[in-house]
């Protein structure tokens, strides 16, 4: 039993300052699996160490993707460790051997949560979703159903389902991305519109977008050069703006 603050301090440095110097890194399997099951930021930080044990020391974690799926909640786009989490999630979903229902569940859940995400997170998650479609063509059925449900209750996807295989994501469509194509931020709307076209085979590099902050996004907008828009208007004549207005004979706007 460790205090949450100490848990976080250990997990932040575990993957690069502790595991590489241990003769038997597998001794940390129980500690990391328990930390991964705690939830919240502690689970996010445990991903680094678990990745090393799974990738280099053959750790088997049957419910790993189920737990990773459960970590996707509305706060995931706002947490301090967002960049670290999505970097590792990108690695975990890079295998072409993953079943289509699993990847589709991640795509659909990310898209649903994106409806309430800030613009800086959307500029990262939309290319992230595009990369998942490039790696897993079987999931493109979500794009081939452009007509979304008339009501959210008609969407076959079950957001509350904890088991990805039971979420019915493959039977749904990405109406959430279609909604984001009308986003108030033009860069977000442009990024969402990419899915209307055929995707290129080359994956998008999201490394520079993982740590994009609201302040950086604001500075980028402020530094844009303003474009002078020519305006054409007809000078007002009369009180109500009509040319042959009878009021113009008796009233003046001067």
């Amino acid at each position: 039993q460790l205090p949450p603050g100490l848990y976080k301090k250990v997990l932040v440095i575990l993957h690069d300052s502790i595991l590489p110097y241990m003769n038997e890194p597998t001794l940390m399997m129980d500690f990391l699996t328990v930390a991964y099951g705690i939830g919240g930021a502690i689970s996010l930080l445990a991903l680094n160490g678990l990745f090393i044990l799974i990738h280099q020391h053959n750790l088997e974690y049957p419910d790993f993707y189920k737990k990773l799926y459960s970590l996707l909640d509305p706060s995931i786009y706002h947490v301090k460790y967002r960049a670290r989490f999505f970097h590792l999630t990108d690695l975990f979903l890079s295998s072409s051997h993953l079943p289509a229902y699993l990847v589709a569940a991640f795509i659909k859940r990310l898209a649903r949560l994106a409806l309430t995400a800030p613009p800086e997170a959307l500029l990262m998650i939309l290319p992230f979703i595009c990369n998942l479609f490039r790696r897993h063509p079987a999931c493109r059925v979500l794009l081939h159903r452009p007509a979304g449900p008339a009501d959210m209750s008609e969407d076959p996807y079950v957001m509350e389902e904890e088991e990805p295989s039971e979420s019915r994501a493959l039977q749904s469509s990405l109406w959430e991305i279609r909604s984001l194509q009308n986003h108030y931020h033009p860069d977000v709307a442009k990024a969402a519109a990419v899915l209307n076209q055929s995707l290129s085979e080359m994956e998008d590099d999201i490394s520079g977008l993982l740590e994009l902050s609201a302040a950086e996004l604001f500075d980028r907008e402020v530094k844009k050069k303003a474009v002078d828009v020519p305006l054409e208007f007809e000078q007002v004549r009369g009180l109500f703006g009509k040319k042959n207005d009878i009021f113009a004979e008796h009233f003046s706007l001067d």
Side-chain angles (χ1 to χ4, degrees):
Q1 296 291 334
L2 295 177
L6 184 57
Y7 245 125
K8 294 178 182 178
K9 289 181 180 180
V10 172
L11 292 172
V12 164
I13 64 172
L14 184 67
H15 65 287
D16 58 357
S17 299
I18 298 177
L19 288 179
Y21 302 100
M22 293 181 67
N23 292 329
E24 295 184 33
T26 53
L27 293 174
M28 301 300 296
M29 285 182 177
D30 290 339
F31 172 75
L32 286 170
T33 51
V34 170
Y36 189 47
I38 291 178
I42 293 178
S43 293
L44 299 184
L45 294 175
L47 280 173
N48 272 101
L50 277 177
F51 172 71
I52 293 177
L53 295 182
I54 292 173
H55 186 65
Q56 300 178 7
H57 302 282
N58 300 319
L59 169 64
E60 293 186 8
Y61 196 121
D63 294 330
F64 177 80
Y65 283 99
K66 177 181 177 181
K67 179 62 180 177
L68 184 65
Y69 181 74
S70 69
L71 291 178
L72 298 177
D73 58 30
S75 66
I76 199 64
Y77 292 127
H78 304 272
V79 293
K80 177 181 178 181
Y81 309 106
R82 184 187 71 191
R84 180 192 297 242
F85 173 76
F86 280 104
H87 170 70
L88 291 172
T89 303
D90 187 45
L91 290 176
F92 294 138
L93 296 177
S94 61
S95 173
S96 59
H97 299 291
L98 294 175
Y101 75 82
L102 178 65
V103 180
F106 274 90
I107 291 175
K108 185 65 179 178
R109 194 174 183 93
L110 289 170
R112 180 67 61 84
L113 295 175
L115 292 174
T116 57
E120 63 272 15
L122 291 174
L123 292 177
M124 176 271 298
I125 203 61
L126 289 169
F128 186 94
I129 291 176
C130 290
N131 286 345
L132 292 179
F133 280 121
R134 292 184 176 98
R135 298 170 190 167
H136 309 276
C139 295
R140 296 189 181 185
V141 65
L142 296 174
L143 298 176
H144 297 158
R145 298 193 190 104
D151 188 84
M152 281 189 61
S153 61
E154 300 177 6
D155 192 342
Y157 173 69
V158 184
M159 181 71 172
E160 297 76 18
E161 178 58 53
E162 296 181 359
E163 182 62 54
S165 60
E166 303 294 333
S167 66
R168 302 173 64 190
L170 276 176
Q171 303 174 31
S172 183
S173 63
L174 280 186
W175 59 266
E176 298 91 347
I177 304 300
R178 181 60 65 94
S179 299
L180 291 176
Q181 292 175 3
N182 298 315
H183 197 273
Y184 68 87
H185 197 289
D187 290 344
V188 173
K190 182 179 179 180
V194 172
L195 289 171
N196 290 341
Q197 310 165 2
S198 57
L199 294 174
S200 61
E201 296 183 2
M202 184 69 68
E203 290 191 9
D204 296 325
D205 183 12
I206 64 171
S207 59
L209 301 172
L210 291 174
E211 298 185 8
L212 182 65
S213 65
E216 293 174 348
L217 192 62
F218 180 79
D219 290 340
R220 183 190 301 178
E221 292 296 321
V222 170
K223 293 177 181 178
K224 285 184 177 179
K225 293 184 178 180
V227 179
D228 293 331
V229 180
L231 300 177
E232 182 178 354
F233 67 96
E234 184 176 343
Q235 188 172 1
V236 176
R237 299 179 182 178
L239 186 63
F240 295 102
K242 296 181 181 179
K243 293 182 178 180
N244 301 321
D245 190 355
I246 189 172
F247 290 96
E249 301 178 6
H250 306 284
F251 297 94
S252 174
L253 297 178
D254 295 337

